[in-house]
Amino acid sequence: MSIPRARQSDFTGGDYIDRLVVDEAVQQAKKNRNIVWKETVGSRLESSSGKSILGVAEKAKIDLCKKLQRNKSASLELLFPKGGLSPDNDIRLEIDLKFVERVIYRAWKESWCSIIETCLNIYKQESVDGSFEFEKFDAVVLSGGSSLLPGLKEH
C-alpha cells in the first residue's frame, strides 16, 4: 500500500533555480574573465535591478531547456547587460546542458536532499509499527515548471 507524504515541503522552485543560474553565471564569469566584483550576488539581487537580473536568468533557463529538449548539445548565450549583474561590465557567457546540470546538482545538494531527508525522518518517527523501510518508497514527486529541467531526475 502506498502512503503519500507531502507534509514536508519548501519553496525552492523556479525563483530558487533562477538565483542559482545567476550565481553560476557569476562564478563562471569570475573564472573566465577575471572580473572584480564590488558586491555580492545577493546584494545585486536585492537591489533595484534584482528583478531584471532574475528575469534574464529565467528567460535563459526556459529558452535553453526548450532547445535541449530538441538537441542535447544545444547552447545559448546568456547576457546580463552592464548595469544589471555587474555595474561595469556586460556579463556574457555560453550556457549548455553541463551548466544546467551544475545548477540542478547544487539545488539537490543545497536544498532538495534535506527536504526529502526530513520527510523520511518524519515518516520513520511516525511509523506505527516501527517497520520503516526505505526500500518501500518508490518515488519522490517533484512538481512545478522546474521539474522539467534536464538532469533533474538523474541527480
Side-chain angles (χ1 to χ4, degrees), residues 21-72:
V21 166
V22 171
D23 190 61
E24 280 292 320
V26 168
Q27 298 309 317
Q28 198 168 328
K30 281 181 179 179
K31 186 172 61 175
N32 297 343
R33 296 193 43 207
N34 297 321
I35 295 173
V36 176
W37 296 87
K38 299 174 184 171
E39 55 193 330
T40 66
V41 174
S43 64
R44 289 303 287 173
L45 292 178
E46 300 307 318
S47 73
S48 60
S49 60
K51 282 193 176 202
S52 66
I53 294 168
L54 289 172
V56 168
E58 178 183 35
K59 182 175 180 351
K61 171 190 72 180
I62 292 167
D63 291 349
L64 179 59
C65 288
K66 287 178 182 175
K67 283 181 141 187
L68 289 170
Q69 287 175 348
R70 294 186 302 273
N71 177 3
K72 292 292 184 200

Side-chain angles (χ1 to χ4, degrees), residues 118-129:
T118 301
C119 182
L120 291 172
N121 286 334
I122 289 170
Y123 177 74
K124 185 176 182 178
Q125 290 169 358
E126 292 179 352
S127 178
V128 177
D129 59 4

Side-chain angles (χ1 to χ4, degrees), residues 12-14 16-24 61-62 64-65 68 96-114 116 142 144-155:
T12 58
Y16 178 72
I17 297 293
D18 298 340
R19 288 174 180 274
L20 291 177
V21 166
V22 171
D23 190 61
E24 280 292 320
K61 171 190 72 180
I62 292 167
L64 179 59
C65 288
L68 289 170
D96 57 12
L97 180 59
K98 289 195 182 301
F99 180 91
V100 173
E101 287 176 338
R102 277 195 310 275
V103 169
I104 296 303
Y105 178 78
R106 282 187 58 193
W108 274 111
K109 184 178 174 188
E110 296 171 13
S111 180
W112 299 339
C113 283
S114 65
I116 294 167
L142 303 171
S146 293
S147 63
L148 301 175
L149 291 171
L152 186 70
K153 294 175 186 169
E154 290 83 356
H155 291 288

